Structures are given as C-alpha cells and as structure tokens.
Amino acid sequence: MPGFELFGDLERKEVNDVLDNGVLMRYGFDGMRNGHWKAKELEGELSKTFNTNHVQLVSSGTAAVSVALASAGVGAGDEVIMPTFTFVASFEAIMMLGAIPVLVDIDDTLTLNPKAVEAAITPKTKAVMVVQMCGSMGDLDALQTICNSNNLLLVEDACQAIGGTYNGKPLGSIGDLGCFSFDFVKTITCGEGGAVITNNNDYYVNADHYSDHGHDHIGNDRGAETHPFLGYNFRISELHAAVGLAQVKRLPEFIAIQKKHYLILREALEVIPEVTFRRVPKGGEESYAFLNFFLPNIEIARKVIEAFKANGVDVCWNYFDNNWHYVRKWNHLKDKKSLFPLSAEIEQGLENIKNTTYDQSDHFIGRNISCLIKMSWTEDEVKTRASKMVSSINSALL
Ligand SMILES: *Cc1c(COP(=O)(O)O)cnc(C)c1O
C-alpha cells in the first residue's frame, strides 16, 4: 500500500482509452464510447477478485458505506454498531442516512470485540459494521453468529484490507455487504472511488439505482428511465474507473510485494520479547498492508515513536494521539459540530459517545504501533528499516 507507488504504463493506457473518445460518464452515450465501459469492466474484475456475484462501483469508500447501508434499508433512528478504532468515514456514512453510530470497544484484533458488540445491541440495532483495520480482520465467525441470532446485518468495511482472506474467502465478501475504498492511499487506487459488494440481488439492485439518482437503468435512453425510489449521486467516472481497472489486475503482484516486506520486518521484531503482534483470527490471512504490534505500555509506545522519528523510520503511527482514526480525539463528533441541525436521535447518540469511556480500546490502541508497508522500498531498504526499528525499540525499552 499504496497503489500509486507503482503507477505506470498500464494505468496510462486505460486512461487514454477513455480520453480517446471523451465519454467520461459511466452510463449512456453508447454510440460515442467505442466499446469502452471502464466502470462495468472494473465491476466484472472485482466480482472475480472477491468471488462475489455483484459489485457496484461508487465515488468513494465513504459513499460505499452509505450506499451499502441504504441498500439494506438502514436509515433514520436505526443504530449501527461500529468500532472505536476506524476512519472518521464510518460515522459520517452512518449519520448521512440519519442512522445512529454506536461505538464499542475493540480487542487485540484491533477491531470489534464480539462481547462488546453483544452488550451494545438494543431493539433499535440494525447492523454491525466490522472495520477490517490495517490489513487484518475481526473475529468474523463470532460476529456472524451474533448477527444471525439477533437478525442483524453484518457489514464489512474492508477499505484497508483488500487482498486479505478469512477461511479462504476474500475480506469484504463474508458479511451481507462489503465496502471498499480506492482513494489515493489505498492498496489499489482509482484516485477517488469505492465499491459495494454483495451476493444479495436485491441489495445490489438497490445500490445500482440509489447511487445514480434512483435511475432504473432499463433500456438505453437515460432520459426515459423511471425512478422506482429516491436516490442520490455517488457515481464513479470512467476516468477513475480506468485507473482502477489497471490497478486491480496488479493486485496479486501488490500483495506479494507487501507480504515480502512485511515478513522481513516481522521476523526482525519477533526476537524482541516485549513486542507482541496483533491477533489475526484463526483461518485469517492479512493483506500485509500494515505491520501492527503492541508494546508493554503507552509510555514505551510513545518512546518508540520518538525513537523511530529520530532514526528516520517513517510511516509508523501510534493512533492514541491521532485525530483521524481513534475516538479519543474525535471532538467534532462528541461536540456535535454540525453545519446543519442534527436529529434529536443522533444528538442523543453523540451525547452517549461523549459520556462513555473506552478503557479496553485505550488499552490496545495506546500500546499499538501500526507501520505502513510500502511497495516501492527495495529489499535493502526494508532490511535497513528492520534493523533501525529493532535498535529504536531496544533503546526505548532501556
Ligand atoms: C479510506 C477509508 C474509508 C473511506 O474511503 P474514502 O474513499 O476515502 O472515502 C473508509 N473506511 C476505512 C477503514 C478507510 O480506511
């Protein structure tokens, strides 16, 4: 990660195909487009990649989460359970529909603790959203069981875990609906873009229509299409899809490079007894987009981050002090800083978040360090990085 590191001729060729006829829109203009349907083609490729019947491309990963939830009928006043450690997109996408984000603790998988999920279920709960953070996954069997027995949707935000698997199945394809982002810093990028995947035909048809103003996409006269229900515009453009089409074909190559670099770093860190690694559930294989490890306590974790900085080890973070990914610093959310009035139900939900402490999450995020795995590093660079990481950690442990 990220895919832009290896941007090249394939991406240029696909984009030029689009520029040659100038149809930048994914629907219509059949006569002008000279056979180029980049978004449709990318949906076909992704369907193979994820071994899933249906794929709907949209304009971003955040849009993918909103479209997934909307397609399954989640809306005003419904509660969606999500983890305290994720990207801000998770609660944004839920609140956009008038639904209420309910934040619960994570565990050593760095995502939802199934016990915390169970404790948070109320009669208003409609969905559980597991966020497969930093290239790995939650306890999907346990979460699936909870969802089945409580009649809840399981939605996977797999934006950071493309290429990871669980019991041989691609992450994103296990829940009722899966969401991906192809923004500029993800493992494969479109510049901006996202996808909803599902095996449920009704959800797919809903996602297809909803993401394009409710258009039914029947026939080839856009102006004559009817609107079976209300929609919105979350379309991807052909230019963006073209970049993604080149990138998705390279996914196996990207994952192999990530894995090679990840293993060099992991093997070096494994010799330090104080370092433990994030738990990957049995049957799971990471996408190797990040290496995540724990230190004995937050003071040492902070010292390690300082030592990394001093030794030139970049792209490693402790998310406890981070504004984007962890509930502790989401003051705009807790203080309800909205440009427009929020519903009374959402206001109450946000009040609950403000008044809740997340001790278990603090325990794991405080001690965690998450290192991005770059694909553009040479093997020598990875080895030098590994030895700098080991010496930095050892110095922080003194
Ligand atoms: C990147 C990301 C998103 C949002 O994707 P955008 O395409 O940037 O809107 C959502 N969830 C997670 C976990 C992400 O990492």
Side-chain angles (χ1 to χ4, degrees), residues 60-62 86-87 89 131 133 157 159-160 181-183 186 192-193:
S60 71
T62 313
T86 178
F87 184 45
V131 183
M133 279 299 274
D157 174 341
C159 291
Q160 294 195 9
S181 164
F182 309 121
D183 79 20
K186 297 302 200 281
E192 297 283 1

Side-chain angles (χ1 to χ4, degrees), residues 66-67 69-74 96-97 203-217 226-234:
S66 285
V67 170
L69 292 170
S71 300
V74 177
M96 209 212 71
L97 303 170
Y203 297 163
Y204 164 65
V205 171
N206 289 346
D208 167 89
H209 296 11
Y210 181 71
S211 59
D212 184 27
H213 303 293
H215 271 270
D216 64 14
H217 297 148
T226 67
H227 304 94
F229 47 78
L230 296 168
Y232 215 85
N233 178 5
F234 290 118

Side-chain angles (χ1 to χ4, degrees), residues 1 59-65 85-90 92 129 131-134 157-161 179-186 191-194 290 324-325:
M1 199 161 131
S59 50
S60 71
T62 313
V65 177
F85 175 50
T86 178
F87 184 45
V88 289
S90 299
E92 292 169 355
M129 183 160 72
V131 183
Q132 320 285 27
M133 279 299 274
C134 303
D157 174 341
C159 291
Q160 294 195 9
C179 306
F180 290 94
S181 164
F182 309 121
D183 79 20
F184 193 52
V185 296
K186 297 302 200 281
E192 297 283 1
F290 294 84
W324 284 54
H325 292 283

Side-chain angles (χ1 to χ4, degrees), residues 149-392:
S149 52
N150 291 279
N151 198 21
L152 305 175
L153 290 165
L154 179 62
V155 178
E156 282 178 78
D157 174 341
C159 291
Q160 294 195 9
I162 187 168
T165 58
Y166 182 69
N167 291 335
K169 289 188 188 161
L171 293 180
S173 72
I174 293 146
D176 297 284
L177 296 131
C179 306
F180 290 94
S181 164
F182 309 121
D183 79 20
F184 193 52
V185 296
K186 297 302 200 281
T187 303
I188 62 174
T189 183
C190 289
E192 297 283 1
V196 178
I197 71 172
T198 183
N199 282 318
N200 181 306
N201 192 59
D202 292 341
Y203 297 163
Y204 164 65
V205 171
N206 289 346
D208 167 89
H209 296 11
Y210 181 71
S211 59
D212 184 27
H213 303 293
H215 271 270
D216 64 14
H217 297 148
I218 292 171
N220 55 9
D221 178 1
R222 211 173 143 75
E225 289 178 11
T226 67
H227 304 94
F229 47 78
L230 296 168
Y232 215 85
N233 178 5
F234 290 118
R235 287 190 309 260
I236 194 167
S237 84
E238 284 288 277
L239 280 173
H240 292 90
V243 178
L245 187 57
Q247 291 249 307
V248 75
K249 292 175 181 164
R250 306 175 66 190
L251 183 61
E253 170 198 341
F254 290 1
I255 301 295
I257 299 170
Q258 285 181 173
K259 181 170 183 176
K260 188 172 136 208
H261 293 174
Y262 170 108
L263 288 176
I264 294 172
L265 298 180
R266 178 160 178 147
E267 276 158 24
L269 264 54
E270 259 165 3
V271 302
I272 307 174
E274 289 86 350
V275 169
T276 53
F277 295 89
R278 165 262 195 97
R279 179 170 62 86
V280 177
K282 196 168 157 286
E285 179 162 10
E286 296 181 69
S287 74
Y288 307 103
F290 294 84
L291 176 65
N292 285 277
F293 55 95
F294 298 109
L295 292 151
N297 58 51
I298 186 169
E299 290 73 31
I300 296 175
R302 282 183 171 141
K303 272 202 217 163
V304 169
I305 288 289
E306 285 312 308
F308 279 178
K309 277 194 190 128
N311 291 312
V313 176
D314 61 356
V315 296
C316 289
W317 302 276
N318 171 273
Y319 287 113
F320 194 73
D321 300 319
N322 177 287
N323 295 337
W324 284 54
H325 292 283
Y326 188 50
V327 62
R328 200 171 81 93
K329 295 270 193 123
W330 290 342
N331 293 329
H332 64 314
L333 179 71
K334 297 181 215 172
D335 295 338
K336 307 181 201 124
K337 299 277 191 200
S338 176
L339 288 177
F340 49 85
L342 298 168
S343 73
E345 289 153 314
I346 291 183
E347 293 235 0
Q348 184 55 51
L350 300 187
E351 199 59 33
N352 292 344
I353 294 170
K354 188 171 186 162
N355 295 328
T356 306
T357 52
Y358 297 99
D359 296 340
Q360 279 303 301
S361 303
D362 286 351
H363 173 71
F364 291 109
I365 292 300
R367 297 181 305 122
N368 172 255
I369 290 181
S370 188
C371 294
L372 182 70
I373 304 293
K374 285 202 175 180
M375 297 188 284
S376 55
W377 293 331
T378 64
E379 192 167 330
D380 279 349
E381 283 170 340
V382 183
K383 286 180 176 157
T384 307
R385 165 174 289 262
S387 67
K388 281 185 186 169
M389 285 172 76
V390 170
S391 58
S392 303

